Amino acid sequence: MNEQQGSRQQQPGQQKAAQPRTDYPRPQFVRESWLNLNGQWEFAFDDERIGERKKWQKGSTPLPLGIHVPFAFQSALSGIGDPGFHDTVWYRRKLDVPPELRGQRIILHFGAVDYEASVWVNGTLVATHEGGHTPFSADITEVLQERDGNILVVKAVDHSTDVTLPRGKQYWKSDSASIFYTRTTGIWQTVWIEAVSPSYLKKVRFTPDIDRNAVEIRSFITHAPQGGRLSLAIDIEFAGQPVSSDTFRVEGGEICRSIGLNDFNDHGEGRWWSPEFPRLYDVTFTLSEDGRVVDRVTSYFGQRKISIENGRLCLNNRPYFMKLVLDQGYFPDGNLTPPSDEAIRRDVELTKEMGFNGARKHQKLEDPRYLYWCDRLGLLVWGEAANAYDYSEEYVRRFTQEWQAGIERDYNHPSIVVWVPLNESWGVPNIAIDKRQQQHALAMYHLTKSLDPMRPVVSNDGWEMVSTDLFSIHDYEWRSGVLEERYSSAMKAAGGYPCNRKLTVEGYPYRGQPILVTEFGGIAYKKSQWEGWGYSGADNDEDYAERLRAVIGPLLDSGVVQGYCYTQLTDVEQEINGLLTYDRQPKLPLVQIRAINEGK
């Protein structure tokens, strides 16, 4: 169920807003009873921080502006397009619960609000949250009125100039520059409500095991006080055909089952997930109380394994060369927020059409719908945190909390194959000499593996690595001869200083991990109205193609390198080093880029 908001008078100076996004926001855990709250909301800047003193949280005061949620006010699609510093903002809208959702528990969800959020319904504080990239929710049933007329108010607080805030590529200065882009403040992912029974399925966790032809499913259940006897049925299908059905009694809040999938073997195509064959199992969870169905959720999982065997990076027990592209996840009119689900899907399709089998989502925990399309269409993803720029104890607290929440949100996606908590010593700029920062990087490595032991973890992508499962190098050298020599042996590759930075911290030498060049290329080529820069430059199509071959070819031919990540998918603001322009137009024919990726 989706909601189309009625039009609201546009404020002077506002730009035209997009239509509300109606895509289901949590595509790996789907209920039918839900309502999309995207669309036109009332809005106010609160630069003087007077909102709470004037009781805006009570909801009785209309706000002077309008904004199109889920787009941040800095973006054109918000209808405002103001890139200035406004660190405290307010949102207000009516919240009328449709008749078909009434009589149940109502859960209010936020996909992401940057950076701190406080939420009131009918003047009652129902939720607070810290972390700009992770979701949160609240049961608002008890504060809703029986009839229409409910008011939802949100206050968002950013810290735009705090360089210890986990922010990713959002710049703390007034204008975008270098590798930093426009800020995002406030709501930037979908807001929605869903209806559940007092007893309901809170979440599930899939852990595939292709070696045993099994999947472990952990189900987390909220049981109503004085509720009846619960049972949970799990039905698994593949391509519409039943594979397994299991019904069991629920005795506590967490149930774990290992379910055999003995419907195939490893000969022929099988049913494992890969970029070439993105096969998925569909799952239906049915929760019953005293024989009566009280909750039904549909989901999916992929049977795949990512591992390191004798120094080789493997997918499904076979060596696999990763061809990734660096993807910033920015859009010309939406900034961090994609303009539509079609735009998300098209980015995945374009990536695959150029011959890449994966993407490194850079400095952003991406919208779950991006991961959904990677699962469905077949694209590997390196999941990377939005880092801070500098170190402090407060940064450690904030970052650790948000990174844990990100892993929790995205654990089930088969497309995610590597976790990257830190990049290029962001947040730990003195890691080479500061023992605290070294221990923080080690802590993030081990924390990540404690939460997810089945995926490799890169402790600090690019250089100055401590313990790490993959030896990932950033290298913007453009001369093919230099690259051929540098990656002619593992010792030469691991002992270099390709960006004038030592690749490891003292005491953490190269130990035979798979070597990947996870940033390279960055060739600037202007083919749009945007001006900008890159790490090297091309003058025309022929020159651009030759420069691509010069940096990709040596890595394909190395025999040492087990994967690469080209910088980057699209131009972004002042950077013109994308394979596509900012509005997603190829700089060379897609088939030509694919041929270069294939060494042709």
Side-chain angles (χ1 to χ4, degrees):
M1 183 190 314
N2 307 309
E3 179 183 51
Q4 292 282 344
Q5 290 292 319
S7 61
R8 185 177 183 274
Q9 186 173 358
Q10 189 166 308
Q11 301 296 322
Q14 288 183 319
Q15 302 178 48
K16 184 179 179 181
Q19 292 299 308
R21 295 175 60 199
T22 57
D23 326 304
Y24 193 83
R26 192 185 54 197
Q28 209 175 26
F29 196 80
V30 177
R31 289 189 176 93
E32 292 186 359
S33 298
W34 74 290
L35 179 71
N36 192 324
L37 299 182
N38 290 347
Q40 201 73 3
W41 292 43
E42 296 175 12
F43 181 79
F45 296 118
D46 189 9
D47 297 343
E48 303 301 322
R49 300 182 181 178
I50 62 173
E52 287 201 55
R53 189 168 72 248
K54 291 197 171 185
K55 307 298 182 184
W56 290 359
Q57 68 271 25
K58 296 297 183 183
S60 57
T61 304
L63 302 180
L65 302 176
I67 191 168
H68 197 90
V69 169
F71 299 99
F73 71 78
Q74 293 95 339
S75 71
L77 290 176
S78 71
I80 297 177
D82 182 347
F85 289 97
H86 304 285
D87 281 3
T88 301
V89 296
W90 290 78
Y91 301 78
R92 178 183 182 270
R93 62 155 290 156
K94 291 183 179 180
L95 176 56
D96 295 333
V97 179
E100 59 269 26
L101 269 61
R102 295 175 185 172
Q104 303 178 77
R105 308 300 299 182
I106 301 299
I107 311 297
L108 173 64
H109 295 275
F110 291 83
V113 180
D114 197 345
Y115 177 75
E116 297 169 0
S118 301
V119 183
W120 294 265
V121 175
N122 296 330
T124 299
L125 182 67
V126 297
T128 59
H129 181 261
E130 181 183 49
H133 282 71
T134 50
F136 64 98
S137 61
D139 186 333
I140 61 173
T141 311
E142 304 304 328
V143 300
L144 290 172
Q145 301 176 9
E146 292 186 6
R147 297 183 179 180
D148 294 343
N150 298 290
I151 299 295
L152 169 60
V153 174
V154 178
K155 174 188 174 184
V157 178
D158 206 355
H159 305 278
S160 298
T161 60
D162 183 352
V163 295
T164 68
L165 192 78
R167 68 172 67 251
K169 286 299 192 82
Q170 303 177 53
Y171 204 18
W172 52 90
K173 296 184 180 180
S174 58
D175 298 319
S176 299
S178 183
I179 59 172
F180 299 101
Y181 316 133
T182 303
R183 292 172 298 282
T184 290
T185 297
I187 298 170
W188 67 277
Q189 289 185 20
T190 293
V191 186
W192 53 292
I193 60 173
E194 67 176 340
V196 299
S197 296
S199 296
Y200 64 97
L201 187 64
K202 188 174 183 180
K203 63 179 180 179
V204 297
R205 191 174 174 94
F206 299 107
T207 302
D209 187 340
I210 69 169
D211 297 328
R212 294 176 51 243
N213 282 350
V215 60
E216 180 188 273
I217 302 178
R218 293 170 63 195
S219 306
F220 298 82
I221 296 163
T222 298
H223 196 176
Q226 292 83 48
R229 179 176 295 182
L230 292 179
S231 64
L232 181 64
I234 303 177
D235 295 289
I236 301 176
E237 295 183 348
F238 185 87
Q241 298 300 311
V243 171
S244 175
S245 183
D246 190 12
T247 301
F248 45 88
R249 184 172 173 176
V250 176
E251 298 289 353
E254 179 182 343
I255 306 294
C256 184
R257 284 287 189 276
S258 181
I259 298 176
L261 302 171
N262 300 313
D263 56 320
F264 73 97
N265 58 39
D266 191 20
H267 301 292
E269 291 189 353
R271 292 184 177 177
W272 292 348
W273 185 96
S274 70
E276 294 74 25
F277 302 102
R279 306 181 182 96
L280 296 171
Y281 287 80
D282 296 309
V283 189
T284 301
F285 295 89
T286 305
L287 184 68
S288 298
E289 188 171 44
D290 294 332
R292 178 178 60 88
V293 174
V294 295
D295 195 16
R296 180 173 283 113
V297 173
T298 58
S299 186
Y300 65 87
F301 65 89
Q303 285 290 99
R304 66 100 186 86
K305 176 183 177 182
I306 182 74
S307 60
I308 299 168
E309 310 290 344
N310 298 318
R312 302 299 299 178
L313 181 58
C314 297
L315 178 66
N316 298 335
N317 292 326
R318 292 171 174 81
Y320 192 90
F321 193 96
M322 292 192 181
K323 299 179 181 180
L324 314 177
V325 67
L326 193 75
D327 185 350
Q328 310 276 4
Y330 268 75
F331 295 83
D333 296 324
N335 298 346
L336 284 178
T337 306
S340 67
D341 190 55
E342 291 75 17
I344 299 173
R345 175 171 181 158
R346 188 58 184 149
D347 273 5
V348 177
E349 291 172 339
L350 286 166
T351 300
K352 288 178 68 72
E353 288 172 19
M354 288 187 290
F356 295 100
N357 55 32
R360 179 175 161 227
K361 292 303 294 195
H362 194 36
Q363 290 298 301
K364 178 186 182 186
L365 289 174
E366 189 54 274
D367 189 306
R369 291 205 63 87
Y370 175 85
L371 299 175
Y372 166 80
W373 284 118
C374 291
D375 294 341
R376 289 287 175 190
L377 300 178
L379 192 70
L380 304 176
V381 177
W382 285 30
E384 182 177 320
N387 290 157
Y389 195 66
D390 210 345
Y391 183 87
S392 71
E393 288 78 6
E394 180 67 359
Y395 147 75
V396 171
R397 182 193 67 78
R398 287 167 166 168
F399 181 77
T400 303
Q401 173 181 287
E402 188 163 10
W403 182 234
Q404 286 182 264
I407 295 171
E408 165 89 3
R409 190 196 73 172
D410 295 339
Y411 178 91
N412 287 336
H413 289 282
S415 57
I416 293 185
V417 292
V418 176
W419 293 118
V420 184
L422 298 175
N423 166 73
E424 290 187 349
S425 302
W426 289 22
V428 286
N430 296 318
I431 189 173
I433 58 174
D434 189 326
K435 296 296 184 182
R436 295 183 310 159
Q437 297 182 20
Q438 293 171 16
Q439 291 300 322
H440 173 62
L442 282 170
M444 292 304 97
Y445 170 80
H446 289 293
L447 173 65
T448 304
K449 295 189 75 68
S450 75
L451 297 172
D452 182 0
M454 69 176 180
R455 293 177 172 97
V457 179
V458 176
S459 63
N460 185 21
D461 196 76
W463 52 65
E464 295 172 341
M465 288 170 271
V466 290
S467 294
T468 186
D469 295 331
L470 303 176
F471 202 81
S472 54
I473 302 170
H474 294 181
D475 188 348
Y476 284 102
E477 174 60 55
W478 57 272
R479 294 167 294 180
S480 60
V482 174
L483 292 172
E484 289 167 359
E485 174 64 20
R486 183 173 291 164
Y487 297 103
S488 61
S489 74
M491 288 302 101
K492 286 183 178 179
Y497 292 76
C499 286
N500 293 319
R501 302 289 285 268
K502 190 175 180 181
L503 293 176
T504 62
V505 170
E506 185 175 353
Y508 300 92
Y510 174 66
R511 299 184 184 276
Q513 302 100 319
I515 293 173
L516 296 92
V517 180
T518 50
E519 282 189 31
F520 78 109
I523 301 166
Y525 185 27
K526 177 177 168 57
K527 293 207 76 174
S528 67
Q529 71 270 29
W530 284 283
E531 298 289 341
W533 67 277
Y535 294 91
S536 61
D539 298 323
N540 52 53
D541 286 6
E542 182 176 318
D543 184 30
Y544 187 52
E546 286 304 312
R547 287 177 179 272
L548 287 176
R549 291 190 186 94
V551 295
I552 291 175
L555 304 185
L556 287 172
D557 297 338
S558 160
V560 170
V561 174
Q562 298 187 38
Y564 57 68
C565 179
Y566 183 84
T567 302
Q568 59 186 335
L569 180 64
T570 75
D571 294 347
V572 183
E573 298 191 358
Q574 69 278 356
E575 291 190 41
I576 56 169
N577 49 22
L579 295 165
L580 313 173
T581 63
Y582 204 5
D583 56 358
R584 275 54 179 178
Q585 298 303 309
K587 295 184 179 179
L588 291 176
L590 298 176
V591 292
Q592 187 175 2
I593 298 174
R594 184 181 191 92
I596 294 171
N597 250 328
E598 294 173 348
K600 298 176 181 177

